[in-house]
Amino acid sequence: MPKPIVLSGIQPTGNLHVGNYLGALQNIVKLQNLGDYQMYYFIADWHSLTGEMTAAERRRQIMITAAELVALGLEPEQLTLFVQSHLPEHTELGWVLSTVTPMALLQRMTQFKDKAEQQTKNINAGLFNYPVLQAADILLYHATLVPVGEDQAQHLEFTNDIVRAFNRRYGDYFAPIKPLFTKTARVMSLLAPEKKMSKSLGADHVLELADEPKAIERKLKRAVTATAGGGKSPGAANLLELLQAFAPAKIYQEFAEAERQGNIRYSELKQALAAAVSDYFSAFRKRRAELLASPRELPEILAQGAERARSVAAKTIAEIRRLVGVR
Ligand code: TRP
């Protein structure tokens, strides 16, 4: 039996933060290490053109994201790690799929509506077509399992609609896909704990994986733990969850117990958490710096990943061309 094919990706939109890690990447590393899947992971740089980054920022963020993924333990020998734009096949399949996509399906996408509200001066057609390219990313490799956060659920349903539309028109070719949602709780902003942690809120709302111990301490000192109206503090709950994720079990249990007893000291919780996070990512910071300092290592890893991806993608495109009658 061939191993099931798992694929996911991430936009190169900034330094990764603990929300990205606990919400998605930790799970990718776990799935990789199980050894039960054939895995693809890619940097969605074509998707990132729908946003606001400059070309220079994009070029830099692609390399930073690649360095961070490798430093986190994505292992190029065990998982095909690549940059989307290194393969023209993604945009080629994207075009074919757009021609079987009913406009009405795209008009239902809530992420487009959200993004259109966020970037009112740049509501581009790429943003509208985003789910088509995402479907192409997945189907190009015949992936059947797609680990993503809940926010991507609608895009995966959309992908299955496209599978049906393509198969109805050109014959049974693509298999339906299944989402693999991660169970981890949503990580919240440090300064606005009612919102999901996100760089777009501001640098001090997030703990970046590359943050130095001093920065981690400073950001956590300022983290909001106060409650509105004396209820349970969402900020404190968030910090406790982070402590559970990053500290030794014993330390977490002490603080969880103090919380139950009602005598927890938030300044101590913040200190313990700062130490735990600094420690947890210390090897990561070192490896990240090494990779970014080496002129050869990352380009070689990404070239090898692209080559492996291409061997599959090119075959799919050849079959697609035959099926639609252009060759
Ligand atoms: N849209 C995803 C995100 O922003 C990134 C992405 C692009 C993706 N193509 C994909 C994820 C294909 C899974 C599969 O997080």
Side-chain angles (χ1 to χ4, degrees), residues 7-11 42 44 47 84 111 115 130 133-135 137-138 146-149 151-152 155-156:
L7 173 140
S8 193
I10 190 166
Q11 284 199 47
F42 72 99
H47 280 94
Q84 182 187 33
Q111 185 168 338
K115 292 254 162 105
Y130 187 111
L133 185 57
Q134 181 160 347
D137 299 334
I138 298 167
V146 185
V148 285
D151 62 327
Q152 294 293 314
H155 285 169
L156 301 191

Side-chain angles (χ1 to χ4, degrees), residues 202-233:
D204 284 356
H205 287 253
V206 307
L207 286 178
E208 291 181 357
L209 307 187
D211 277 344
E212 291 297 330
K214 282 263 171 302
I216 297 172
E217 223 183 299
R218 180 181 60 75
K219 288 181 184 180
L220 283 173
K221 257 194 194 135
R222 291 188 53 209
V224 170
T225 49
T227 54
K232 244 185 162 261
S233 156

